[in-house]
Amino acid sequence: MILRTRNFSGETLVFVLPAILLLVLLLYLPAVLGFYYSLHELEGMVPGSYSGLSNYQAVIGAPEFIDVAKRTLVYIVGAVSLTLVAATGIALAVNTLTGPLATAVQIGVILPWAVSSVVGALMFRWVYVSDIGLFAYAIESLGLGPYRPLAGPVSGMLTLIASACWKKLGFAVIMILAGIKSIPADYHDAARADGATPWQAFREVTLPLLAGPLIICSVVLAIADLNTVELPLIVTNGGPVESTTILPLSIYSLAFSQFDFQGAITLAVFMFAVNVVLVASYVSITQRRATHA
Amino acid sequence: MRRRCKLLTALALCVALPSFAAQAQDKTLRLWTFLNPNGTEARENALKQIIAKFEAAHPGVKVQVEQQVWTQMTPKFLAAHASGTAPDVIWVHSEMLGKAISGNTLADLNKLYFASRSDDGADLDNVFWQFSQKDGAQYSVALTSGIFGLVYRMDLFEKAGIKPDSIRTWADLEQAAAKLTTRSTDGNVTRWGLCQHFGKAPNSSAIFISTVLSKTGGKMFSSEGKADWANPAGEEGLRRVVDLVQKAKVSPPDAINWTEDDMYDQFAADRCAMATGFSSRVARLQQTLGKDKVGFMGYPSDDPGKPSPQIVNAWFESVWSKGKNTKEAAEFVAYTVSPEADRIWVTVGGTIPNRKSTLKELQDFLAKPENQYLGAAAEYIQKAGWFPPIDADIAGYRDFINVAIQKVLTGQATPKDALEEAQSGYNRKHGFK
């Protein structure tokens, strides 16, 4: 007997079941187990006595947690803002180009996003950040050296934000360009006919109509930046003086540098909860847009 | 048609069954290590040869290497032990050996192999062999052992007229580093005399550690693992490290974010004349720079000619206590430190001999200039090698020390304040008040 409801059938279940099983095995089950482990004292990776929320108190109540949380917020806000601004400018420029030039520019921008995160982070570090990299050589050849972006806490964070922007710019350009192309040309024609300057047309016509794609893009970028460990690990190594140690890197350090698995699991569950909030926002926004459309 | 199918099926089974039976008799030993037997590094070549010889001598036993990231390997093993999926043979990080032993994750190699071979034990007896003993049991053998010290460019020393054994004190080291530091016409450093690395990493702060151990008689931790480095010895060590960067200007300030690998990259790129490195990395640097160009020496001290104590390190190869093939695994582990394998580790892998007999047999080999580093490291281990307390959980201490160094380098704290903050943070994390 095939189960049928208004929009659902047993046949549908057969098709989505493999994906659901994978999600359960790779995401939900580890999350549930992680939550279980975080409520117990770990004895050599095995849950021992029940400890309630004391592990959360220990981790979130630690003096360094507030600093890590602040740095993570600065990093996310900085990286998302810079990426959106740069991507909007590039998308607007690409929208005016045609033919091979438009294709070449798009490929050039999207390439960092297309390579694997670790490879991208290594490339960024070797080319732009290392004192034996091409960029440092070019800077010093122009007489602007020496070049030490990782030597200070502020420049270190700016370098990390720049690396996040460089890596995710391609994705943001694609999303925003799609948004720009969905704006009917009549609107811009009407604005031009009314004597609007390009800046006025952008501010009064383009930007309001791009609000949806920009909000969705910012939530997606925030989720991606929150869950990035390879960029701070490879580009800045969390320094100097932990100035670029953000939440995911803190979890990695706890687990694999300090071998504090208890702290790492607890913090990871906390971060999972933050991710749930962000994803819920994303789903809510997209559903609202679908309803209005 | 049906008859033909039945005949073909029967034929197929006749061919397949013996191979199934043979496979059923074959045993596969899973080995977790950070080396890749198909890689090009010297130790990887050695491991490949050792595995091939073991398999040839033990038909029916295959060794399957599952390469791991070295920083994650031991924690993964502990997790795998809990879930019953650990490998038969594991290379345990020295800082986690105590935890692995107390968690009953490792088998007693005496019961499985060495108890009936006391000559073997005598030949293998050294600080590493003793370190993995507890309550009469032998839990591991040490592979790729070494010690932290100064990796240096022999050719640059010769060019500058510096003899390695003239570096007998910290002041001598600073003078040599100054002589070896070269600058371009516009004043930029083209090669640093002494490269260090201060990024948060599992291996660093060697000069600080040497100073503290030297001044406190080896008391950086209590036997339970409580830190004790926020004292005059610690301040002296931290100042020494920072002064090499800021006053003497022989160490690069960029090293504030360098990992150990970044430092070796710089050394291999001819940007450092000396580096605070590990002895077993010399072979790989020689592959890049030339066999006759890279040497090794211990850290000096304030007492001329007496080297400063320094951390020794090794990978402790062990058998999983709950494995299904503990006997074969123990035979493999024992084989990797057999006289034959020990010679391969030294001559091919560029590691320090485990056996006293190997040291005697390979005297001529070790006397060659390009192998100077092996003898120098072995001698340094004997004279000044230091092990942290095995039962103490001291994981992550280097992170705290490096952050303290970074704070002083960036002017955010004095050495005293930085060390006190580091010590109290570390002790709080490890449950000490």
Tab-separated table of all heavy atoms in Angstrom, chain B residues 122-161:
chain	number	residue	atom	x	y	z
B	122	ALA	N	68.305	-5.275	26.562
B	122	ALA	CA	69.555	-4.651	27.013
B	122	ALA	C	70.147	-3.786	25.910
B	122	ALA	O	70.678	-2.708	26.163
B	122	ALA	CB	70.550	-5.734	27.422
B	123	ASP	N	70.055	-4.273	24.674
B	123	ASP	CA	70.613	-3.513	23.549
B	123	ASP	C	69.798	-2.251	23.278
B	123	ASP	O	70.304	-1.242	22.798
B	123	ASP	CB	70.642	-4.403	22.296
B	123	ASP	CG	71.549	-3.850	21.212
B	123	ASP	OD1	72.469	-3.078	21.540
B	123	ASP	OD2	71.338	-4.179	20.033
B	124	LEU	N	68.501	-2.331	23.582
B	124	LEU	CA	67.606	-1.197	23.315
B	124	LEU	C	67.516	-0.231	24.494
B	124	LEU	O	66.919	0.832	24.384
B	124	LEU	CB	66.191	-1.708	23.006
B	124	LEU	CG	65.983	-2.309	21.625
B	124	LEU	CD1	64.693	-3.128	21.578
B	124	LEU	CD2	65.935	-1.220	20.562
B	125	ASP	N	68.089	-0.588	25.615
B	125	ASP	CA	67.898	0.196	26.835
B	125	ASP	C	68.509	1.591	26.711
B	125	ASP	O	69.710	1.760	26.567
B	125	ASP	CB	68.529	-0.554	28.014
B	125	ASP	CG	68.113	0.059	29.344
B	125	ASP	OD1	67.085	0.753	29.379
B	125	ASP	OD2	68.823	-0.152	30.339
B	126	ASN	N	67.649	2.615	26.723
B	126	ASN	CA	68.101	4.008	26.741
B	126	ASN	C	66.963	4.827	27.364
B	126	ASN	O	65.981	4.253	27.856
B	126	ASN	CB	68.445	4.507	25.326
B	126	ASN	CG	67.318	4.324	24.331
B	126	ASN	OD1	66.144	4.348	24.699
B	126	ASN	ND2	67.648	4.133	23.072
B	127	VAL	N	67.094	6.151	27.355
B	127	VAL	CA	66.087	6.986	28.037
B	127	VAL	C	64.717	6.805	27.430
B	127	VAL	O	63.707	6.851	28.131
B	127	VAL	CB	66.451	8.497	28.004
B	127	VAL	CG1	67.610	8.790	28.893
B	127	VAL	CG2	66.703	8.988	26.605
B	128	PHE	N	64.639	6.552	26.129
B	128	PHE	CA	63.341	6.396	25.482
B	128	PHE	C	62.706	5.054	25.863
B	128	PHE	O	61.505	4.961	26.123
B	128	PHE	CB	63.490	6.496	23.958
B	128	PHE	CG	64.066	7.801	23.509
B	128	PHE	CD1	65.401	7.904	23.144
B	128	PHE	CD2	63.289	8.945	23.460
B	128	PHE	CE1	65.943	9.119	22.751
B	128	PHE	CE2	63.823	10.163	23.059
B	128	PHE	CZ	65.145	10.243	22.705
B	129	TRP	N	63.523	4.013	25.898
B	129	TRP	CA	63.053	2.678	26.288
B	129	TRP	C	62.506	2.728	27.714
B	129	TRP	O	61.439	2.184	28.005
B	129	TRP	CB	64.237	1.716	26.180
B	129	TRP	CG	63.965	0.277	26.493
B	129	TRP	CD1	64.356	-0.400	27.616
B	129	TRP	CD2	63.291	-0.669	25.679
B	129	TRP	NE1	63.957	-1.712	27.544
B	129	TRP	CE2	63.303	-1.904	26.360
B	129	TRP	CE3	62.674	-0.611	24.427
B	129	TRP	CZ2	62.724	-3.067	25.843
B	129	TRP	CZ3	62.105	-1.761	23.916
B	129	TRP	CH2	62.126	-2.969	24.627
B	130	GLN	N	63.238	3.397	28.587
B	130	GLN	CA	62.824	3.495	29.990
B	130	GLN	C	61.575	4.362	30.135
B	130	GLN	O	60.746	4.122	31.003
B	130	GLN	CB	63.964	4.088	30.841
B	130	GLN	CG	65.153	3.154	30.997
B	130	GLN	CD	66.426	3.914	31.273
B	130	GLN	OE1	66.416	5.063	31.735
B	130	GLN	NE2	67.555	3.304	30.980
B	131	PHE	N	61.439	5.363	29.297
B	131	PHE	CA	60.308	6.284	29.411
B	131	PHE	C	58.978	5.572	29.191
B	131	PHE	O	57.964	5.959	29.763
B	131	PHE	CB	60.469	7.416	28.382
B	131	PHE	CG	59.444	8.506	28.488
B	131	PHE	CD1	59.435	9.357	29.584
B	131	PHE	CD2	58.496	8.691	27.502
B	131	PHE	CE1	58.490	10.375	29.695
B	131	PHE	CE2	57.557	9.707	27.601
B	131	PHE	CZ	57.549	10.553	28.702
B	132	SER	N	58.992	4.523	28.370
B	132	SER	CA	57.723	3.844	28.084
B	132	SER	C	57.536	2.576	28.919
B	132	SER	O	56.772	1.690	28.559
B	132	SER	CB	57.604	3.530	26.594
B	132	SER	OG	58.706	2.762	26.153
B	133	GLN	N	58.250	2.518	30.055
B	133	GLN	CA	58.063	1.394	30.985
B	133	GLN	C	57.214	1.875	32.158
B	133	GLN	O	57.355	3.001	32.618
B	133	GLN	CB	59.416	0.914	31.527
B	133	GLN	CG	60.270	0.216	30.511
B	133	GLN	CD	61.662	-0.081	31.031
B	133	GLN	OE1	62.112	0.501	32.019
B	133	GLN	NE2	62.359	-0.983	30.364
B	134	LYS	N	56.368	0.979	32.631
B	134	LYS	CA	55.608	1.319	33.834
B	134	LYS	C	55.208	0.040	34.543
B	134	LYS	O	54.640	-0.866	33.917
B	134	LYS	CB	54.353	2.115	33.467
B	134	LYS	CG	53.722	2.804	34.655
B	134	LYS	CD	52.641	3.768	34.260
B	134	LYS	CE	52.078	4.398	35.541
B	134	LYS	NZ	50.966	5.255	35.328
B	135	ASP	N	55.526	-0.037	35.828
B	135	ASP	CA	55.163	-1.204	36.657
B	135	ASP	C	55.573	-2.514	35.997
B	135	ASP	O	54.795	-3.471	35.944
B	135	ASP	CB	53.633	-1.217	36.910
B	135	ASP	CG	53.172	0.031	37.621
B	135	ASP	OD1	53.988	0.612	38.381
B	135	ASP	OD2	52.029	0.471	37.410
B	136	GLY	N	56.772	-2.543	35.448
B	136	GLY	CA	57.307	-3.777	34.878
B	136	GLY	C	56.847	-4.062	33.452
B	136	GLY	O	57.301	-5.036	32.844
B	137	ALA	N	55.968	-3.262	32.926
B	137	ALA	CA	55.496	-3.486	31.552
B	137	ALA	C	56.249	-2.559	30.595
B	137	ALA	O	56.678	-1.481	30.974
B	137	ALA	CB	54.002	-3.227	31.456
B	138	GLN	N	56.396	-3.020	29.360
B	138	GLN	CA	57.024	-2.222	28.302
B	138	GLN	C	55.940	-1.874	27.304
B	138	GLN	O	55.406	-2.761	26.631
B	138	GLN	CB	58.138	-3.019	27.610
B	138	GLN	CG	58.922	-2.249	26.565
B	138	GLN	CD	59.823	-1.193	27.186
B	138	GLN	OE1	60.449	-1.423	28.220
B	138	GLN	NE2	59.884	-0.036	26.560
B	139	TYR	N	55.601	-0.607	27.162
B	139	TYR	CA	54.437	-0.264	26.354
B	139	TYR	C	54.776	0.168	24.934
B	139	TYR	O	53.905	0.172	24.065
B	139	TYR	CB	53.623	0.833	27.046
B	139	TYR	CG	52.883	0.314	28.253
B	139	TYR	CD1	53.327	0.578	29.552
B	139	TYR	CD2	51.753	-0.484	28.104
B	139	TYR	CE1	52.654	0.070	30.653
B	139	TYR	CE2	51.077	-0.994	29.203
B	139	TYR	CZ	51.532	-0.714	30.469
B	139	TYR	OH	50.861	-1.221	31.557
B	140	SER	N	56.006	0.566	24.710
B	140	SER	CA	56.310	1.109	23.381
B	140	SER	C	57.781	0.916	23.048
B	140	SER	O	58.597	0.622	23.925
B	140	SER	CB	56.055	2.620	23.330
B	140	SER	OG	54.823	2.963	23.859
B	141	VAL	N	58.068	1.116	21.766
B	141	VAL	CA	59.455	1.310	21.341
B	141	VAL	C	59.514	2.704	20.732
B	141	VAL	O	58.519	3.183	20.194
B	141	VAL	CB	59.900	0.249	20.305
B	141	VAL	CG1	59.783	-1.140	20.902
B	141	VAL	CG2	59.111	0.363	19.018
B	142	ALA	N	60.655	3.323	20.818
B	142	ALA	CA	60.781	4.698	20.329
B	142	ALA	C	61.315	4.714	18.908
B	142	ALA	O	62.282	4.018	18.598
B	142	ALA	CB	61.709	5.491	21.234
B	143	LEU	N	60.651	5.468	18.052
B	143	LEU	CA	61.116	5.631	16.674
B	143	LEU	C	61.345	7.114	16.391
B	143	LEU	O	60.705	7.973	17.004
B	143	LEU	CB	60.074	5.075	15.692
B	143	LEU	CG	59.840	3.560	15.740
B	143	LEU	CD1	58.754	3.179	14.750
B	143	LEU	CD2	61.122	2.807	15.417
B	144	THR	N	62.211	7.377	15.432
B	144	THR	CA	62.566	8.745	15.003
B	144	THR	C	62.788	9.649	16.205
B	144	THR	O	62.271	10.768	16.267
B	144	THR	CB	61.504	9.347	14.063
B	144	THR	OG1	60.328	9.691	14.786
B	144	THR	CG2	61.135	8.405	12.965
B	145	SER	N	63.547	9.157	17.155
B	145	SER	CA	63.805	9.963	18.351
B	145	SER	C	64.732	11.117	18.011
B	145	SER	O	65.466	11.096	17.019
B	145	SER	CB	64.408	9.097	19.453
B	145	SER	OG	65.601	8.514	18.984
B	146	GLY	N	64.696	12.101	18.842
B	146	GLY	CA	65.555	13.256	18.599
B	146	GLY	C	65.454	14.238	19.725
B	146	GLY	O	64.824	13.977	20.757
B	147	ILE	N	66.077	15.373	19.525
B	147	ILE	CA	66.113	16.401	20.556
B	147	ILE	C	66.080	17.756	19.868
B	147	ILE	O	66.543	17.901	18.717
B	147	ILE	CB	67.378	16.229	21.438
B	147	ILE	CG1	67.351	17.192	22.629
B	147	ILE	CG2	68.653	16.391	20.618
B	147	ILE	CD1	68.417	16.890	23.682
B	148	PHE	N	65.515	18.742	20.533
B	148	PHE	CA	65.515	20.101	19.992
B	148	PHE	C	66.886	20.734	20.208
B	148	PHE	O	67.508	20.536	21.248
B	148	PHE	CB	64.429	20.943	20.671
B	148	PHE	CG	63.046	20.511	20.305
B	148	PHE	CD1	62.363	19.604	21.100
B	148	PHE	CD2	62.442	20.979	19.148
B	148	PHE	CE1	61.095	19.172	20.750
B	148	PHE	CE2	61.163	20.558	18.798
B	148	PHE	CZ	60.498	19.646	19.594
B	149	GLY	N	67.327	21.455	19.212
B	149	GLY	CA	68.632	22.107	19.323
B	149	GLY	C	68.785	23.111	18.199
B	149	GLY	O	67.793	23.657	17.704
B	150	LEU	N	70.002	23.337	17.792
B	150	LEU	CA	70.280	24.323	16.740
B	150	LEU	C	70.645	23.618	15.440
B	150	LEU	O	71.656	22.924	15.355
B	150	LEU	CB	71.435	25.245	17.169
B	150	LEU	CG	71.096	26.217	18.291
B	150	LEU	CD1	72.367	26.821	18.877
B	150	LEU	CD2	70.190	27.333	17.789
B	151	VAL	N	69.763	23.797	14.453
B	151	VAL	CA	70.073	23.333	13.102
B	151	VAL	C	70.861	24.456	12.435
B	151	VAL	O	70.463	25.627	12.529
B	151	VAL	CB	68.758	23.061	12.328
B	151	VAL	CG1	69.045	22.654	10.911
B	151	VAL	CG2	67.944	21.999	13.041
B	152	TYR	N	71.976	24.149	11.810
B	152	TYR	CA	72.793	25.247	11.275
B	152	TYR	C	73.383	24.902	9.912
B	152	TYR	O	73.506	23.746	9.543
B	152	TYR	CB	73.907	25.629	12.263
B	152	TYR	CG	75.016	24.600	12.409
B	152	TYR	CD1	76.208	24.714	11.690
B	152	TYR	CD2	74.878	23.519	13.285
B	152	TYR	CE1	77.220	23.772	11.830
B	152	TYR	CE2	75.879	22.586	13.431
B	152	TYR	CZ	77.055	22.715	12.705
B	152	TYR	OH	78.058	21.781	12.851
B	153	ARG	N	73.757	25.935	9.186
B	153	ARG	CA	74.342	25.799	7.850
B	153	ARG	C	75.856	25.668	8.001
B	153	ARG	O	76.561	26.640	8.309
B	153	ARG	CB	73.974	27.020	7.009
B	153	ARG	CG	72.523	27.058	6.558
B	153	ARG	CD	72.280	26.148	5.386
B	153	ARG	NE	73.107	26.527	4.242
B	153	ARG	CZ	72.773	27.457	3.351
B	153	ARG	NH1	71.613	28.090	3.448
B	153	ARG	NH2	73.586	27.743	2.350
B	154	MET	N	76.337	24.486	7.751
B	154	MET	CA	77.776	24.223	7.935
B	154	MET	C	78.607	25.074	6.968
B	154	MET	O	79.681	25.568	7.325
B	154	MET	CB	78.054	22.730	7.727
B	154	MET	CG	77.340	21.859	8.759
B	154	MET	SD	77.984	20.184	8.913
B	154	MET	CE	77.452	19.431	7.401
B	155	ASP	N	78.068	25.257	5.743
B	155	ASP	CA	78.849	26.005	4.740
B	155	ASP	C	78.953	27.481	5.132
B	155	ASP	O	79.995	28.122	4.950
B	155	ASP	CB	78.224	25.851	3.352
B	155	ASP	CG	76.753	26.243	3.319
B	155	ASP	OD1	76.043	26.015	4.313
B	155	ASP	OD2	76.298	26.788	2.298
B	156	LEU	N	77.864	28.028	5.700
B	156	LEU	CA	77.889	29.448	6.082
B	156	LEU	C	78.802	29.658	7.294
B	156	LEU	O	79.474	30.689	7.407
B	156	LEU	CB	76.469	29.943	6.391
B	156	LEU	CG	75.502	29.916	5.206
B	156	LEU	CD1	74.105	30.342	5.649
B	156	LEU	CD2	75.986	30.827	4.090
B	157	PHE	N	78.809	28.672	8.185
B	157	PHE	CA	79.721	28.749	9.331
B	157	PHE	C	81.161	28.790	8.850
B	157	PHE	O	81.981	29.592	9.326
B	157	PHE	CB	79.512	27.527	10.246
B	157	PHE	CG	78.577	27.775	11.392
B	157	PHE	CD1	77.299	28.287	11.174
B	157	PHE	CD2	78.962	27.504	12.702
B	157	PHE	CE1	76.432	28.518	12.230
B	157	PHE	CE2	78.094	27.728	13.765
B	157	PHE	CZ	76.828	28.242	13.528
B	158	GLU	N	81.455	27.919	7.881
B	158	GLU	CA	82.832	27.845	7.379
B	158	GLU	C	83.209	29.152	6.699
B	158	GLU	O	84.299	29.696	6.908
B	158	GLU	CB	82.919	26.701	6.373
B	158	GLU	CG	84.322	26.159	6.189
B	158	GLU	CD	84.345	25.020	5.183
B	158	GLU	OE1	83.509	24.105	5.308
B	158	GLU	OE2	85.182	25.074	4.284
B	159	LYS	N	82.275	29.685	5.936
B	159	LYS	CA	82.531	30.935	5.210
B	159	LYS	C	82.785	32.091	6.177
B	159	LYS	O	83.613	32.962	5.924
B	159	LYS	CB	81.288	31.249	4.368
B	159	LYS	CG	81.562	31.997	3.082
B	159	LYS	CD	80.283	31.997	2.243
B	159	LYS	CE	80.334	33.111	1.225
B	159	LYS	NZ	79.091	33.190	0.437
B	160	ALA	N	82.046	32.073	7.296
B	160	ALA	CA	82.192	33.157	8.273
B	160	ALA	C	83.330	32.902	9.253
B	160	ALA	O	83.599	33.733	10.126
B	160	ALA	CB	80.874	33.345	9.044
B	161	GLY	N	83.980	31.738	9.105
B	161	GLY	CA	85.101	31.416	9.996
B	161	GLY	C	84.662	31.088	11.415
B	161	GLY	O	85.389	31.342	12.378
